[in-house]
């Protein structure tokens, strides 16, 4: 039901018959399945995005499974991927966490899928997206209550953990963790994060099997203006055929210069 409403919304948007399109119908249907988002209060865009992607994945996965049931068993055995959909094909990546026991030096690799990478912001004033990526992918030491249970030692041990990208998605989404705990209070970080428009290279954070010379270009930004308990979301989206950027601010859809796309309110980045 949500997928059908989403399809209607996309159709209305791309028909180009209106200056703007309200997602009321989709929001109503989606809110019935996710009551948290039905209330007229502020919600987190990242949480909403993850729920929408998961809902669409489940719907498209079911359609894919139905289509596979009509194919021959030989065709189906070639790996239609019952757990895959257009959503996973576009947005799902794979991380591998390499965990090293500091006592016996045994290394264990733990894979983990992701659709959104939540990046810490290592500065209060200004930093770059590369700084955020470096912070996310730097090795961490697990001690005390965070110790791992080492299979070979048979006890809990200190360990180091380091993440690497083993599969990069076609579209990678970065969530800048602007809402963080500071001095026992949850606050919003207004740090200016400078992000590249093109040539984003993820190979330093990837395995040697990662495709060489694969670089990403920015295609959309979700902005959050305001504080932790209130605010306003807007979006910048790049029109691929023309390379022009547009701002989506409620009923106002306007063309903007490239220079306006870099803001200190960026919350989600799509490459």
């Amino acid at each position: 039901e949500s997928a059908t409403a989403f399809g209607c919304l996309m159709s209305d948007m791309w028909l180009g018959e209106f200056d703007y399109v309200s997602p009321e119908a989709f929001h109503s249907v989606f809110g019935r399945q996710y009551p948290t988002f039905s209330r007229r209060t502020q919600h987190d865009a990242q949480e909403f995005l993850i729920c929408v992607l998961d809902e669409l994945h489940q719907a498209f996965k079911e359609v894919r499974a139905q289509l596979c049931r009509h194919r021959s068993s030989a065709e189906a055995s070639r790996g239609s991927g019952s757990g895959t959909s257009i959503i996973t094909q576009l947005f799902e990546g794979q991380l591998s966490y390499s965990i090293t026991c500091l006592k016996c030096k045994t290394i264990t690799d733990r894979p983990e899928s992701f659709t959104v990478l939540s990046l810490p912001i290592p500065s209060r004033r200004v930093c770059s997206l590369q700084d955020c990526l470096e912070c996310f992918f730097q090795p961490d030491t697990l001690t005390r209550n965070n110790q791992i249970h080492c299979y070979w030692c048979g006890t809990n041990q200190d360990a180091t953990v380091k993440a690497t990208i083993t599969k990069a998605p076609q579209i990678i989404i970065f969530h800048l963790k602007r809402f963080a705990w500071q001095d026992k209070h949850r606050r919003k970080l207004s740090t200016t994060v400078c992000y590249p428009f093109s040539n984003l290279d993820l190979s330093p954070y990837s395995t040697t099997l990662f495709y060489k010379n694969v670089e990403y270009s920015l295609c959309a930004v979700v902005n959050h203006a305001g504080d932790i308990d209130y605010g306003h979301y807007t979006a910048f989206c790049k029109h691929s055929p023309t390379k022009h950027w547009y701002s989506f601010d409620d009923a106002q859809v306007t063309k903007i210069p490239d220079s306006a796309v870099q803001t200190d309110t960026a919350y989600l980045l799509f490459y």
Side-chain angles (χ1 to χ4, degrees), residues 8-9 12-14 17-24 250-251 253:
C8 292
L9 174 61
D12 288 342
M13 288 176 61
W14 285 102
E17 296 180 356
F18 311 100
D19 292 335
Y20 63 91
V21 176
S22 173
E24 284 294 327
D250 290 342
V253 181

Side-chain angles (χ1 to χ4, degrees), residues 107-212:
I107 300 175
T108 305
D109 291 319
R110 295 182 182 175
E112 181 179 294
S113 298
F114 71 89
T115 52
V116 177
L117 276 187
S118 291
L119 304 181
I121 299 177
S123 172
R124 290 192 177 187
R125 290 190 176 182
V126 62
C127 67
S128 68
L129 180 62
Q130 292 289 1
D131 293 332
C132 298
L133 287 165
E134 289 285 349
C135 188
F136 180 89
F137 286 102
Q138 70 179 358
D140 193 14
T141 302
L142 306 177
T143 61
R144 299 180 181 178
N145 294 334
N146 294 320
Q147 285 184 326
I148 58 115
H149 181 81
C150 178
Y151 174 81
W152 296 101
C153 295
T155 57
N156 290 345
Q157 297 292 338
D158 290 352
T160 59
V161 58
K162 188 179 187 306
T164 54
I165 299 174
T166 53
K167 176 193 172 188
Q170 291 187 46
I171 301 173
I172 190 164
I173 306 170
F174 297 118
H175 162 233
L176 302 178
K177 297 172 71 173
R178 292 198 176 276
F179 301 102
W181 290 96
Q182 289 184 334
D183 302 325
K184 298 182 180 180
H185 297 284
R186 198 162 181 259
R187 304 178 185 277
K188 181 184 177 183
L189 303 178
S190 57
T191 306
T192 297
V193 179
C194 301
Y195 38 90
F197 285 22
S198 60
N199 304 321
L200 175 64
D201 182 14
L202 296 181
S203 61
Y205 319 108
S206 308
T207 63
T208 54
L209 299 177
F210 187 66
Y211 296 107
K212 297 296 182 183

Side-chain angles (χ1 to χ4, degrees), residues 35-48:
T36 300
F37 296 108
S38 65
R39 297 188 293 273
R40 295 287 182 174
T41 55
Q42 176 167 294
H43 298 289
D44 188 90
Q46 183 237 175
E47 295 174 359
F48 177 73

